Amino acid sequence: MPDTWVVVGLDNGGTCNNATVLDASGKFLVDRLVEIPSRVTEGPEIAVGALAEALEGVLALTGVERSRVRAVGLDTPGPASADGVISSKGATNFPQPAWWGFDVRTALEERLGLPVVYNNDGNAAALYAHHAHFGAEAAEHSSISAIVGTGLGGGVIEAGQVVRGAAGMAGELGHVHIPMEGLLAEGQPLPMCNCGFGADAESVASLTGIAANLLPYWLTRFPGHELAGVPILEAAKLVRSRGEDGDPLALKIFEQQAMALGRLFTIAANFTDPSAYFIGGGVVETGPKFREWFLDTVREHTVLREEQQRVASFALVPDLDMAGARGAAIAARDASAP
């Protein structure tokens, strides 16, 4: 029967694959992580096999027969093309030469014998945030999402659909240049990004930005701080918990990150004028008090016109650990709908 079909969403990461199932009525059949090792460090053939295993596992868990699967949604970290070809220079999660220029979408499609719809992980999470927020009215709205993690990912959604761009690089919010005047403290060096840009959003609002740019500076302003004796990358990972505890150094860092995101959203307001602005990532995987403070600070530094203020909303990406797989499933559903 037409209403018995399902789609499967597969979220591929550096450590694990997460899978979900979305039925024809729009209901997700699992409400938790369903993970297995992604095995990406073992090369494309084994990693594609692990994705196929993730699909079979979630179907067994939900009791769904494979014949009911209409399509599969896949997301991976970038950079990759809109069609799922990993960058010719590789990527953080795909550093081995065998991955360079590898067409992961087609490889999985051939392995499964099912249509596979690809998005990068930031776009998939953005798509889920949009649909979860707007529900049945998703097609009537636009949104922009910033996902703060090791880097700064995100996505732009227009009329309920991912804006991909000509080369699949739309929504790379981390590499948008933002004004630094008034954001940097006295004597604070211009932050640099791993991509080679200076003063882009990721150089501030990311874990790598904390380790390379923000923490080294703020440690000089808080002599004797407990993080001074910790290796810098390890110390950067500890900043979030210190922020939740109200540590003044950590709060300075997160205030700068929130300011950077506000300035990024201000730029977005002037070229996409979205209905909603979403924040996700580790920075908001925190207690309610801290994440609400962070979201309020982002909102405070997002400059909107009066007309925009009346209609725009700010929110957190929900169910973030499941957002990628769920967004991938939504993309597959929309692409395969009759």
Side-chain angles (χ1 to χ4, degrees):
M1 297 294 292
D3 61 351
T4 65
W5 59 266
V6 302
V7 294
V8 173
L10 299 176
D11 173 40
N12 167 260
T15 304
C16 293
N17 294 322
N18 178 41
T20 194
V21 180
L22 177 65
D23 71 15
S25 72
K27 178 184 178 182
F28 288 101
L29 303 187
V30 291
D31 59 2
R32 62 177 177 85
L33 287 171
V34 181
E35 291 185 317
I36 66 168
S38 63
R39 304 181 70 179
V40 293
T41 59
E42 299 176 58
E45 183 176 354
I46 291 176
V48 170
L51 285 166
E53 184 181 347
L55 178 140
E56 299 298 342
V58 78
L59 292 179
L61 178 68
T62 55
V64 174
E65 295 180 3
R66 198 177 190 279
S67 60
R68 291 175 57 193
V69 180
R70 173 176 285 183
V72 175
L74 169 68
D75 78 76
T76 76
S81 75
D83 294 325
V85 178
I86 305 300
S87 170
S88 60
K89 296 182 178 180
T92 301
N93 282 9
F94 308 107
Q96 299 94 342
W99 281 110
W100 301 354
F102 183 76
D103 187 344
V104 65
R105 186 204 66 80
T106 298
L108 181 61
E109 188 169 82
E110 292 175 349
R111 178 67 175 260
L112 298 177
L114 291 165
V116 174
V117 178
Y118 177 82
N119 281 283
N120 70 44
D121 54 358
N123 283 344
L127 186 64
Y128 175 63
H130 184 93
H131 281 261
H133 187 79
F134 292 111
E137 297 179 351
E140 300 172 23
H141 293 279
S142 60
S143 66
I144 186 165
S145 296
I147 314 296
V148 186
T150 302
L152 177 61
V156 179
I157 309 299
E158 182 64 42
Q161 301 290 322
V162 172
V163 176
R164 299 176 182 275
M169 301 296 179
E172 292 289 344
L173 305 180
H175 306 301
V176 174
H177 290 259
I178 58 173
M180 289 291 163
E181 183 178 358
L183 187 156
L184 299 179
E186 182 179 356
Q188 188 171 6
L190 185 75
M192 298 299 296
C193 181
N194 284 342
C195 73
F197 286 167
D200 65 9
E202 184 173 303
S203 68
V204 177
S206 65
L207 178 63
T208 55
I210 292 176
N213 301 311
L214 306 188
L215 184 56
Y217 169 80
W218 285 109
L219 284 173
T220 68
R221 295 301 186 266
F222 288 84
H225 194 279
E226 62 178 340
L227 292 180
V230 180
I232 195 66
L233 184 56
E234 181 181 343
K237 294 177 180 178
L238 295 172
V239 169
R240 183 175 68 185
S241 63
R242 300 300 190 276
E244 287 191 87
D245 292 338
D247 179 87
L249 177 148
L251 291 178
K252 285 290 188 182
I253 287 174
F254 285 115
E255 181 181 33
Q256 288 190 314
Q257 290 203 333
M259 291 173 66
L261 293 173
R263 293 181 179 204
L264 176 66
F265 285 165
T266 299
I267 294 170
N270 285 287
F271 72 82
T272 67
D273 188 26
S275 306
Y277 303 83
F278 299 113
I279 298 287
V283 71
V284 294
E285 292 177 346
T286 51
K289 182 179 179 181
F290 180 86
R291 64 175 179 250
E292 289 303 324
W293 167 80
F294 189 84
L295 185 62
D296 287 345
T297 307
V298 172
R299 185 188 293 111
E300 175 187 348
H301 291 279
T302 303
V303 180
L304 303 178
R305 293 178 174 85
E306 180 182 349
E307 296 87 346
Q308 294 172 314
Q309 291 175 354
R310 289 198 295 264
V311 298
S313 57
F314 288 75
L316 303 176
V317 176
D319 308 312
L320 190 64
D321 53 356
M322 298 184 288
R326 289 186 168 193
I330 291 170
R333 177 200 65 188
D334 292 349
S336 62

